[in-house]
Amino acid sequence: MSQLEIRSVSHWFGGLQALKDVTFDTHDEILGLIGPNGAGKTTLFNVISGFIVPTSGEVRFNGKAIHRLRADQTVRLGLARTFQIVKPFASLTVEENVLVGLGMPYYPTSAALYQRYRTRSNLDQVEQILAKVHLTDYRSAQAAKLPIGLLRRLEIARALATHPKLLLLDEPAAGLVAQEAEELAALVRDLYAQGLHIILIEHNMRFAMNLCHRIVVLAQGEIIAQGNPTEIQNNEKVINAYLGQE
Amino acid sequence: MLLLQNLSNALILACTYILMAAGLTMVYGVLKVLHIAHASVYTVGAFVGVLAFTRLGNFWVALAIAMFVSGIFGVLIYRSTYFYLLNSPRTVPLIASVGMFVMFTDLLQKPFLMGAYQRAFPAGGAGLPAVKTALFSFTAKQVLILLVTVILLAIVYVILTRTKLGLSWQAASMDRDMASAVGVNLNQSIAANFFLGSALAGAAGVLVGVYNNSVFATMGDLPSYKAFIIIVLGGMGSLPGAILASLILAIVENFLVASIGYVLPRDSIAFLVLILMLMFRPNGLLGRE
């Protein structure tokens, strides 16, 4: 069974159709979602992660329809995401940012009122997650003071804290220098090797082509191609709509 | 000695400001809405408190009932109004809030509720002793206000800094979308925030009612703008800022009145302080943005 099934998803913003009958499945893979600006990639992420209810169509995650669920409900099912523009909880420390993710799957319960978030077991989990994304040294740093490369890692750490089965990364390499992008790619590969499935939106073609097993290309809200990176790089429609001739 | 006594009086005045403004700033922190109708919750708290005290004769039980009812009232305001306006421009919930405040004040004046007259709230110091030293003194009522404020602030502090709920408020106050993306149930979290903030306002209403031995339908008028001034002075959404601003405002009010008398109406001093603050530090004392 596919992990994520997207079936005939369309979405309108007023008179503008952002997604047109988008259909694809994801499996055990790192899937890339590419396309020119305004293609509908982030809108699709918003639909999958519960920030937008699609005008029509259906999204299923492990067989369960999720397209009408709120974002926090999709998180509890094991679907986590990051954002194109990093959104740290700026005045919290790195550790506290991760603790927010760790604490929340217990909602909604009245226990939240007296349950402490800084417990030994939570702090142990934070330590493991920070080690995984190589942020251990910045544990006590205020998130607002981190450079962009570390903030991207923090976003991933916070998403990992929710114990996801599928991770959606929205332009994870944006703003990173080549060295940082390579380190991030290694991290994504590690996460995949540990059993996490990943969908990522990316404009950095080298990053996406080297990392992804399969790529779906969106243009003007519809899928124009899908296949492995080699097929995509040689696809005429994709070259005309997005990659261009080199 | 006079100086210390003035400071003691200012401290008590500040306590009533703090409880009122703390709830308002907590709500602003998460919702980014100026919840003017918070003053109605304050009045309802005082009203329920005096009713409960009259029937039960126990101040502490009356206070608990008033806080609980105020909390529920606040949650109902959120669920019936702000919930539907979360993604509207900020002026929309602000206008709704002013409308609710006017409506509730009017409703409370109806004969079947509080009516147009004042009710006495003769709880005194609820059995607490007065404190007298060589340098300053507190009446039993003042001791009561100080004690209740310290206890409630300690509870709020623990919830904010130690519990999952408090952490969810901190996260939601910084970025609601992101909080939601890491699993925070915003509906639950905001409703709980309203409950606690409104319970504090209810406690403030009860304490002021007891202190002045008077509860009336329009008693929220003054706190409606005083609390607003305090959260602007403190920095919108900052609880420590609201506490600091309450203390400063109460001290300024007390000392100006004590030193130059009522040249200015006491409550206009708050506006003067606000204007000066906006000129020199527009983000407030501890404001982030």
Side-chain angles (χ1 to χ4, degrees), chain A residues 106-108 113 115-117, chain B residues 161-165 170 188:
Chain A
Y106 297 101
Y107 278 94
L113 194 60
Q115 275 185 334
R116 293 184 60 173
Y117 61 84
Chain B
T161 59
R162 300 276 187 275
T163 69
K164 292 182 174 180
L165 190 62
Q170 290 188 56
Q188 299 262 340

Side-chain angles (χ1 to χ4, degrees), chain B residues 109-130:
Chain B
Q109 291 181 75
K110 298 296 178 197
F112 57 89
L113 287 172
M114 295 174 81
Y117 58 93
Q118 301 191 3
R119 289 164 194 254
F121 200 151
L128 295 172

Side-chain angles (χ1 to χ4, degrees), chain B residues 268-283:
Chain B
S268 66
I269 293 169
F271 282 101
L272 281 180
V273 175
L274 176 68
I275 291 165
L276 286 172
M277 177 61 80
L278 290 177
M279 284 168 66
F280 296 106
R281 202 175 160 83
N283 290 340

